[in-house]
């Protein structure tokens, strides 16, 4: 069932939420909106799907690329697309979107999971817009297990304006925190309550984002939400010391190495001005196409078709040297990204999930993170997921296997 919900500011300064039914719109809830349009306030909310537990299990088990574990499925659920107010990497007002999944568990006070997704090249390949099992599976898994599940799209993806600031942990953190705030307002309008403690997880790019959000929650950035536990999966936590050397040495899947190298230069240049013209770092003809290709409006298939099969064909000597020996603004940006493991001391339970032989986020990333946390006196068990496979990828398989493992760990933390 799909029902459109609109949010309209009333004369009294409250927000009336209306559901479109067969007999026209009817008011279903009223919730206050901050008059200053501050971060985390709702712009719109739309009911996307209502699924029974049986339908959830069938969808997870029916993924053609590889069935997802259904052992935690207990409840049906409702999913909502949320658009909310947040800030861009420079602190300026903007909007972002995300998916909220609420279980049909009968519980009024809900434990909350935040899941931050891996790298997506196309704006439409995120949970609030896409209907693919890959994008929906974390929401379906955690919500059907009884958790309110919050999946931010990040800036520039889903319905968010502009290009996505890839691997920018500060803006990933603010987008995820503000999505939690917006989700709390939606849950309240539905007669539910999100409990204060948040269980934080994420995959690949989202593993770093999860640690950024966890750090922010622990520091008390929000007046309501607090960190309960954090479980990142297959992250690139040591981009400078582990991931970039692996990309340049050919220890990752070749096409993935090309795309991640291009993303690093293009996305970081947008924020930190690493080069004056693309021709300085990209060879022809890619110097004329690569920035447009990575603007979020092209599908992953488009990006694969529009990039070469080797770094030698992509990068100029200057571009390769920039990645091999980061300096200046790039070095500073990488220190910020890699600080998710090195720059704080988690006080909540933490586990690091990884896959053997990961062909994209090499396992040295997790080893670096584990060592950095241990140096700060943090016990962060390493949880190996074996060599999972999803569509021929161990990296993607680690999200699937990790989701099954993390939901059980979160269920045990009562």
């Amino acid at each position: 069932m799909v029902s459109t919900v609109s949010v309209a500011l009333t004369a009294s300064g409250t927000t009336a939420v209306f559901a479109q039914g067969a007999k026209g719109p009817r008011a279903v809830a009223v919730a206050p909106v901050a008059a200053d349009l501050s971060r985390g306030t709702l712009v719109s909310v739309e009911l996307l799907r209502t699924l029974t537990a049986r339908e959830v299990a069938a969808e997870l088990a029916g993924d053609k690329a590889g069935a997802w574990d259904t052992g935690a499925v207990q409840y049906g659920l409702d999913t909502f697309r949320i658009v909310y107010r947040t800030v861009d990497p420079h602190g300026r007002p903007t909007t972002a979107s995300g998916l909220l999944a609420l279980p049909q568990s009968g519980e009024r006070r809900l434990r909350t999971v935040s899941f931050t997704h891996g790298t997506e090249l196309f704006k439409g390949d995120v949970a609030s817009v896409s209907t693919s099992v890959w994008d929906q599976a974390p929401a379906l898994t955690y919500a059907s297990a009884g958790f309110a599940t919050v999946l931010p799209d990040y800036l520039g993806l889903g319905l968010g304006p502009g290009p996505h600031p890839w691997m920018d942990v500060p803006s990933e953190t603010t987008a995820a925190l503000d999505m939690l705030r917006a989700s709390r307002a939606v849950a309240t309008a539905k007669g539910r309550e999100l409990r204060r403690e948040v269980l934080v997880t994420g995959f690949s790019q989202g593993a770093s984002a999860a640690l950024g959000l966890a750090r922010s929650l622990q520091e008390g950035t929000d007046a309501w939400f607090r960190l309960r536990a954090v479980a990142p999966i297959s992250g690139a936590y040591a981009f400078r010391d582990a991931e970039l050397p692996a990309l340049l040495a050919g220890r990752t899947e070749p096409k993935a190495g090309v795309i991640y190298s291009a993303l690093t230069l293009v996305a970081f240049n947008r924020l930190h001005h690493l080069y004056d013209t693309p021709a300085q770092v990209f060879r022809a003809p890619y110097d004329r196409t690569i920035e447009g290709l990575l603007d979020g409006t092209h599908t992953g298939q488009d990006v694969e078709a529009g990039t070469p099969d080797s770094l030698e064909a992509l990068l100029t000597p200057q571009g390769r040297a920039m990645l091999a020996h980061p300096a200046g603004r790039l070095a500073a940006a990488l220190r910020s990204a890699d600080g998710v493991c090195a720059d704080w001391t988690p006080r909540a339970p933490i586990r690091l999930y990884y896959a053997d032989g990961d062909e994209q986020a090499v396992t040295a990333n997790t080893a670096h993170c584990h060592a950095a946390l241990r140096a700060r006196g943090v016990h962060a068990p390493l949880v190996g997921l074996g060599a999972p496979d999803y569509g021929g990828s161990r990296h993607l398989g680690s999200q699937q296997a990790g989701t099954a493992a993390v939901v059980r760990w979160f269920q045990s933390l009562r």
Side-chain angles (χ1 to χ4, degrees):
M1 183 181 81
V2 177
S3 173
T4 300
V5 178
S6 61
V7 177
L9 189 65
T10 68
S12 64
T14 63
T15 292
V17 183
F18 297 94
Q20 185 70 34
K23 298 181 180 180
R26 57 185 176 83
V28 295
V30 175
V33 168
D36 62 357
L37 303 179
S38 60
R39 288 173 44 188
T41 56
L42 285 169
V43 174
S44 65
V45 55
E46 180 180 354
L47 174 63
L48 296 179
R49 296 202 292 171
T50 295
L51 300 175
T52 65
R54 179 174 295 181
E55 289 170 332
V56 171
E59 189 162 319
L60 291 173
D63 190 344
K64 294 180 181 179
W68 295 72
D69 187 276
T70 61
V73 175
Q74 299 180 61
Y75 308 107
L77 54 87
D78 301 299
T79 65
F80 303 87
R81 177 165 55 229
I82 294 174
V83 178
Y84 60 97
R85 301 187 187 278
T86 186
V87 291
D88 72 9
H90 307 288
R92 299 174 301 213
T94 188
T95 59
S97 57
L99 186 82
L100 169 66
L102 296 178
Q104 298 169 350
S105 59
E107 294 287 336
R108 189 183 71 83
R109 299 182 68 244
L110 297 171
R111 303 173 72 206
T112 303
V113 169
S114 171
F115 175 85
T116 41
H117 64 76
T119 297
E120 296 293 355
L121 301 171
F122 178 54
K123 286 178 176 286
D125 288 338
V126 288
S128 77
V129 178
S130 170
T131 58
S132 76
V133 182
W134 169 261
D135 297 313
Q136 293 284 314
L140 302 183
T141 299
Y142 292 111
S144 68
F147 299 98
T149 309
V150 179
L151 290 83
D153 293 334
Y154 310 140
L155 300 180
L157 297 175
L159 303 186
H164 167 54
W166 180 74
M167 287 298 291
D168 180 54
V169 174
S171 66
E172 292 166 354
T173 299
T174 53
L177 182 60
D178 293 343
M179 177 66 184
L180 280 170
R181 292 164 170 162
S183 298
R184 185 184 177 208
V186 173
T188 299
K190 300 297 179 183
R192 316 292 285 276
E193 178 184 337
L194 301 190
R195 292 166 59 176
R196 302 190 73 182
E197 298 78 16
V198 182
L199 299 149
V200 178
T201 184
F203 164 70
S204 194
Q205 174 188 353
S208 293
L211 287 168
L213 174 62
R215 177 173 55 190
S216 181
L217 291 172
Q218 180 171 289
E219 291 172 351
T221 305
D222 186 76
W224 174 257
F225 291 110
R226 295 292 182 267
L227 177 64
R228 176 63 181 92
V230 56
I233 304 167
S234 300
Y237 319 108
F239 217 83
R240 175 172 183 158
D241 295 327
E243 190 65 18
L244 283 178
L247 295 176
L248 295 174
R251 295 196 300 271
T252 61
E253 193 277 324
K255 180 62 81 167
V258 167
I259 293 174
Y260 285 133
S261 296
L263 268 174
T264 301
L265 292 172
V266 170
F268 280 51
N269 184 64
R270 288 178 181 139
L271 292 182
H272 308 291
H273 189 72
L274 307 181
Y275 53 81
D276 293 325
T277 67
Q280 291 176 286
V281 294
F282 298 111
R283 295 185 185 274
Y286 309 106
D287 60 323
R288 298 189 297 273
T289 60
I290 195 70
E291 290 187 336
L293 196 61
L294 297 174
D295 67 357
T297 66
H298 297 83
T299 66
Q301 291 81 2
D302 291 338
V303 175
E304 287 192 15
T307 50
D309 294 329
S310 70
L311 287 177
E312 289 69 28
L314 176 72
L315 299 176
T316 66
Q318 181 179 344
R320 188 178 183 94
M322 191 176 290
L323 296 180
H325 307 288
R329 295 187 182 98
L330 179 57
L334 293 174
R335 281 195 297 273
S336 175
D338 294 346
V340 293
C341 293
D343 292 350
W344 68 301
T345 304
R347 295 192 297 271
I350 178 171
R351 292 183 176 182
L352 303 176
Y353 293 78
Y354 72 97
D356 293 325
D358 192 317
E359 80 284 0
Q360 294 188 38
V362 294
T363 54
N365 283 288
T366 300
H368 275 259
C369 185
H370 182 259
L373 292 171
R374 184 174 57 191
R376 301 179 76 89
V378 176
H379 176 60
L382 295 172
V383 183
L385 300 167
D389 181 274
Y390 183 89
S393 169
R394 290 185 180 184
H395 182 61
L396 300 183
S398 70
Q399 171 170 316
Q400 188 181 62
T403 299
V406 171
V407 70
R408 286 170 172 78
W409 184 47
F410 284 172
Q411 286 177 316
S412 74
L413 297 175
R414 294 193 179 277

